[in-house]
Amino acid sequence: HTMHWADYRPLFIATESWKTLIMNCRLDGEAYAGTAAMQSINIVVMNRSFLGAFMGTAVLSLGVIGLTLVRWSDPSAMFFLGGAVFYIVGTFLVTMLGNVPLNNQLAAASATDPATHDVWHHYLDRWTMWNHVRTVAAMMAALMYTAGLMPNGDT
């Protein structure tokens, strides 16, 4: 079975839905609504299920890097290495070094303070950019891991 871009449509739809529902609050000039929504989401997301999957995938990806280096002659090794690097660098590190500091800045702001308008727009621009980077990286990681699981790494 050859992978086709259409196989990934659900991921694109989910990303655009997120952007439309939450991040486009700026279109209405509602910095208060966007700030309050993201502050709530950033609290709710801190749970064992999410953090286990997020951190667990990073740890497993580190293990995959080690295995691919040991078994580099395997035809699928480069796909698994690519998947691991895309996840660790493009998803995990971008989240930890890009999105989390922005979330912390937003958490310190008062959603009802008029000065938060500037904080929100700074947050919105930067957070959305980093979110696009990590979304593409996660899709590339999934694609690379999938290619590695195919017989002989054939795509």
Side-chain angles (χ1 to χ4, degrees):
H1 176 301
T2 302
M3 298 301 288
H4 186 266
W5 73 269
D7 295 333
Y8 296 96
R9 271 186 286 201
L11 293 172
F12 290 112
I13 291 167
T15 301
E16 283 305 306
S17 296
W18 172 263
K19 185 178 167 215
T20 300
L21 293 172
I22 302 297
M23 302 314 289
N24 280 345
C25 289
R26 72 178 170 184
L27 295 177
D28 298 328
E30 295 291 334
Y32 165 78
T35 300
M38 285 306 296
Q39 286 174 333
S40 177
I41 289 167
N42 289 334
I43 290 169
V44 171
V45 78
M46 294 305 220
N47 62 66
R48 282 188 279 177
S49 297
F50 173 77
L51 291 175
F54 180 68
M55 303 292 254
T57 304
V59 170
L60 289 173
S61 291
L62 288 173
V64 167
I65 289 173
L67 288 173
T68 60
L69 295 177
V70 171
R71 299 182 51 134
W72 188 248
S73 61
D74 188 299
S76 60
M78 69 176 182
F79 292 109
F80 285 116
L81 180 62
V85 169
F86 269 114
Y87 185 82
I88 291 169
V89 175
T91 303
F92 184 78
L93 288 178
V94 164
T95 299
M96 299 307 292
L97 301 175
N99 294 92
V100 169
L102 290 168
N103 291 343
N104 292 340
Q105 289 173 357
L106 192 66
S110 169
T112 58
D113 184 349
T116 299
H117 182 270
D118 292 336
V119 173
W120 170 249
H121 287 285
H122 170 78
Y123 174 89
L124 184 65
D125 291 338
R126 303 251 188 237
W127 195 95
T128 302
M129 176 196 65
W130 288 122
N131 195 54
H132 282 90
V133 169
R134 67 185 179 172
T135 299
V136 170
M139 288 189 289
M140 290 302 299
L143 179 65
M144 297 296 281
Y145 279 135
T146 302
L149 290 171
M150 294 179 165
N152 298 321
D154 295 331
T155 52

